[in-house]
Amino acid sequence: MAKIVNPTNKTPIAIAFSDLHLEIWKQHNEGNRRLENAKDVLRKIKLLCKKHRVISLFPGDLFHKEKSLSNELLFETLPFFKKLWEKGDFVTVAISGNHDQTKQNLIGNESPSYIKTLSKTFDGFKCIDFSSYKLNDEVTVYGVPYITHDLGLIDYINSIELKLSNKNILMLHTTMPNAKDTDGREVHSNLHQTEFYKALERF
């Protein structure tokens, strides 16, 4: 979780969090504690957003299993989501991660995703895959979901038309070049490092 702040006065303009991977886990999950901990994270983010009067940003991987959700998991999460997002007084702007998609996700041929489905269900949950969200008069958030094998990702980022007088935030779900796992192992990336980071400089 991170606060995104206005560089002028350091006040928060959004709360960002990611990769909840909601699941009924088989290990280390006494009393369903891993799912309950994740729900507590969402409750705390809602409180922070209300305190600072800002929205939340979620760059993907809400659920863990991209192909199917168990009846038990739906029972535990859908009523909870209804309390969080139905009224629209707590807003989460989100993009689809790879664990949210059921098949290949390509530019111009998008996969169904949990993020898109929830955005059609709850007023306070908004999907901005390949689109944008105006946070205020000065800040716009651009959403680029996980793209299978990052095909065309850099070209797509370079093609986004920005209002240069604004502050522009890119919300992206991918494996960054030179990223390392928690065990120190370097994770494979499909992206050319120099070209990728040059594309990000616009944001």
Side-chain angles (χ1 to χ4, degrees):
M1 181 172 63
K3 289 180 186 176
I4 299 173
V5 299
N6 183 324
T8 306
N9 57 22
K10 304 301 181 185
T11 57
I13 57 173
I15 306 293
F17 67 108
S18 184
D19 292 83
L20 286 179
H21 288 270
L22 301 174
E23 178 57 284
I24 305 294
W25 296 97
K26 290 187 170 135
Q27 293 184 316
H28 313 295
N29 195 35
E30 300 77 12
N32 222 9
R33 66 182 173 89
R34 292 174 71 178
L35 180 59
E36 291 307 315
N37 287 343
K39 288 161 75 175
D40 279 342
V41 167
L42 280 163
R43 289 187 191 99
K44 288 173 183 175
I45 287 166
K46 181 175 182 177
L47 288 172
L48 270 174
C49 288
K50 287 195 161 190
K51 175 184 174 182
H52 296 292
R53 298 181 181 179
V54 297
I55 68 162
S56 59
L57 301 176
F58 184 76
D61 285 357
L62 182 62
F63 289 103
H64 185 64
K65 290 185 178 175
E66 64 272 20
K67 298 294 185 186
S68 64
L69 301 179
S70 69
N71 200 341
E72 184 180 359
L73 185 57
L74 288 173
F75 178 81
E76 292 290 341
T77 55
L78 285 186
F80 176 71
F81 290 164
K82 184 176 180 181
K83 286 182 183 178
L84 279 179
W85 292 309
E86 187 175 54
K87 293 179 182 177
D89 59 339
F90 168 56
V91 174
T92 297
V93 174
I95 58 172
S96 304
N98 53 309
H99 284 261
D100 300 310
Q101 303 167 351
T102 56
K103 60 183 184 180
Q104 281 196 121
N105 192 55
L106 302 171
I107 299 165
N109 187 17
E110 297 176 42
S111 169
S113 85
Y114 300 132
I115 302 298
K116 291 179 193 174
T117 301
L118 289 174
S119 75
K120 294 177 181 178
T121 308
F122 303 114
D123 285 343
F125 194 87
K126 303 182 185 303
C127 176
I128 60 163
D129 286 2
F130 299 113
S131 63
S132 62
Y133 180 89
K134 196 171 180 181
L135 207 149
N136 56 43
D137 289 339
E138 296 178 344
V139 183
T140 303
V141 181
Y142 296 84
V144 182
Y146 174 77
I147 299 171
T148 304
H149 303 309
D150 296 312
L151 292 172
L153 173 62
I154 293 173
D155 287 341
Y156 180 83
I157 293 172
N158 284 329
S159 75
I160 297 173
E161 292 184 17
L162 302 179
K163 188 173 180 181
L164 297 180
S165 59
N166 272 19
K167 294 176 178 68
N168 300 294
I169 296 173
L170 179 65
M171 190 158 59
L172 174 67
H173 193 104
T174 189
T175 302
M176 308 285 278
N178 295 326
K180 292 186 178 179
D181 209 334
T182 52
D183 60 4
R185 176 181 54 88
E186 189 167 313
V187 183
H188 172 72
S189 172
N190 296 300
L191 297 165
H192 184 279
Q193 181 176 343
T194 304
E195 292 177 1
F196 177 64
Y197 286 111
K198 185 174 175 54
L200 296 189
E201 287 175 2
R202 302 170 66 221
F203 296 89

